[in-house]
Amino acid sequence: MDAAEQGPAQREGDQVVVELRLRVGPDGTLFRRGRAVPAARYEATLADIGGTPSYDYSSSAGVDTGALVLRSGDKAVFDVYAPRDDYFTVVPQATAPVRLALHGETVTAQPGKPLRLYLVAGNNRATLTARHAAVRSLDVSGNGSTTGTLSYETASATLAGGAALVDSPYASGGSAIGSLGNSPATPVAGHGGPRQPCHR
């Protein structure tokens, strides 16, 4: 969606009518300033659950599938996909504050307010709990941001056991660590990932 692309304004009495051109890809991807912004919506009624939450389908307009009503002791677990290890924008769509647990960290999320969370490449299990909230979805968007992360090239690692550096055209430094697991003692010193907790 490109809000910057607007047609000429017309004045009709005391009102101004503005033409707004919306751009949506065939798969539903929104476009902003001519560039696609990856986004995914995880419906709460399709999430794995714990406890005895109830389902509210009284308002399921559009493509929504209703809401999952969480109370004390209930939880909703979402499988959130990320294409790479990076920070992404996560927005819980709920009627009240919820607690979001991800990778051992728990944060309080306000309804409709974006959180900047660190997701790992592949599947991320995110768990929502609340005292009493109707949760419609967990929305995830962004291209991934490396701001706030640290990375270490494999060449700087201290190797032991059977581990060895091997050439790799896919590695940023041109080499990767191979033969991991070929020895009962194959530690690798060095760690990359978020410099701070999962949120910022």
Side-chain angles (χ1 to χ4, degrees):
M1 179 173 66
D2 194 344
E5 284 197 16
Q6 297 180 0
Q10 281 183 298
R11 184 170 297 278
E12 295 184 357
D14 294 332
Q15 297 181 343
V16 175
V17 179
V18 178
E19 177 187 355
L20 179 64
R21 299 175 185 175
L22 305 178
R23 284 196 252 170
V24 181
D27 60 350
T29 301
L30 297 179
F31 286 78
R32 183 175 59 193
R33 295 183 180 177
R35 300 175 61 185
V37 180
R41 166 163 290 183
Y42 298 89
E43 302 288 347
T45 54
L46 304 178
D48 293 337
I49 62 171
T52 56
S54 59
Y55 294 82
D56 180 6
Y57 298 104
S58 60
S59 177
S60 55
V63 297
D64 289 343
T65 58
L68 184 68
V69 182
L70 299 176
R71 295 178 175 81
S72 295
D74 298 334
K75 66 179 180 180
V77 183
F78 300 82
D79 288 313
V80 178
Y81 172 77
R84 64 188 65 85
D85 296 353
D86 270 331
Y87 283 99
F88 292 85
T89 300
V90 179
V91 183
Q93 301 296 348
T95 58
V98 297
R99 298 284 287 169
L100 190 154
L102 177 70
H103 303 313
E105 298 282 345
T106 302
V107 296
T108 298
Q110 299 298 325
K113 300 296 184 182
L115 295 172
R116 186 172 182 264
L117 302 182
Y118 191 85
L119 304 180
V120 299
N123 187 53
N124 298 262
R125 298 281 279 179
T127 302
L128 291 188
T129 57
R131 289 186 177 180
H132 187 187
V135 182
R136 301 192 68 83
S137 65
L138 190 65
D139 299 346
V140 182
S141 63
N143 292 295
S145 170
T146 58
T147 302
T149 65
L150 291 175
S151 62
Y152 299 87
E153 295 294 345
T154 55
S156 66
T158 300
L159 307 180
L165 285 178
V166 296
D167 293 337
S168 173
Y170 305 104
S172 58
S175 62
I177 299 176
S179 301
L180 287 174
N182 287 356
S183 169
T186 312
V188 177
H191 173 71
R195 183 188 332 194
Q196 303 168 2
C198 72
H199 70 287
R200 184 182 176 191

